[in-house]
Amino acid sequence: MPTFQYFVAASLDGFIATADDNLDWLLQFDGFAGGMESYEAFMADVGAIAMGGETYAWLRKHEAGTWPYPGTPCWVFTHHELAAPQGADVTFVRGPVTEFAEDLKAAARGRNVWVVGGGVLAAQFADAGLLEELIVSIIPVVLGNGKPLLPLARPTAPLELLASRTMGRGIVELRYRVPGTT
């Protein structure tokens, strides 16, 4: 059964990007010990992707000419008219995440759905009771402000810690089950 997972990196004070979507604070940690292995293991179980429009626009602006998720169906939740990269399996949608949950599960073909971002989209999945796992790599940087990790409408019940591990350069990966999901 597919699981909706939010796999993300956040600053120590809970931000996933600066207010102007700058990720230099995170990109300085590219290539840290354990990071690529964690990402590759995670991606091996991903069958479909749900992505916010701002994340999609950031990816398109910063990609090195190739779509980073070839062969993986991707739904982009946006209110803007956007174009898909040639050959990419990208579907642009508008509306509540609940309208597309079953389509995402079907496209994942028994594998997981990665809610790739941003925090606002992940919060929509959480508020709808769909987000089942939260996997956060805590980056040892304090931003002071920016885009929050998970701007929810209300607090969650206590999350269940499934795993934790220390990776290179002081990064800690935490894996939680979100209670009360469908």
Side-chain angles (χ1 to χ4, degrees):
M1 184 76 166
T3 298
F4 286 92
Q5 300 173 305
Y6 183 32
F7 180 86
V8 64
S11 65
L12 187 60
D13 54 346
F15 298 105
I16 60 172
T18 63
D20 63 352
D21 292 318
N22 187 303
L23 293 179
D24 288 347
W25 64 273
L26 173 61
L27 297 176
Q28 69 181 323
F29 288 86
D30 274 0
F32 67 89
M36 187 52 71
E37 294 83 4
S38 174
Y39 176 77
E40 288 172 352
F42 173 77
M43 285 303 292
D45 291 331
V46 170
I49 295 172
M51 181 182 296
E54 287 183 30
T55 300
Y56 178 80
W58 189 94
L59 268 176
R60 293 301 312 269
K61 182 178 177 182
H62 294 90
E63 69 187 16
T66 59
W67 179 241
Y69 313 112
T72 304
C74 180
W75 272 253
V76 177
F77 289 78
T78 183
H79 297 288
H80 302 286
E81 295 297 323
L82 301 169
Q86 188 169 349
D89 186 356
V90 176
T91 303
F92 298 99
V93 296
R94 291 184 176 104
V97 296
T98 52
E99 286 184 22
F100 302 97
E102 292 305 315
D103 294 333
L104 283 160
K105 286 181 183 180
R109 294 182 295 249
R111 294 167 61 201
N112 297 324
V113 177
W114 179 16
V115 181
V116 82
V120 172
L121 181 65
Q124 290 173 25
F125 276 89
D127 287 336
L130 295 168
L131 188 64
E132 297 163 275
E133 286 187 5
L134 174 61
I135 306 160
V136 182
S137 291
I138 304 297
I139 308 299
V141 171
V142 176
L143 296 180
N145 64 33
K147 304 274 175 102
L149 171 68
L150 200 57
L152 297 171
R154 61 192 169 283
T156 69
L159 305 176
E160 177 188 346
L161 182 63
L162 300 175
S164 65
R165 67 180 178 152
T166 303
M167 297 191 289
R169 299 192 59 196
I171 297 169
V172 177
E173 184 179 84
L174 304 168
R175 186 181 200 118
Y176 292 99
R177 178 174 292 122
V178 179
T181 54
T182 57

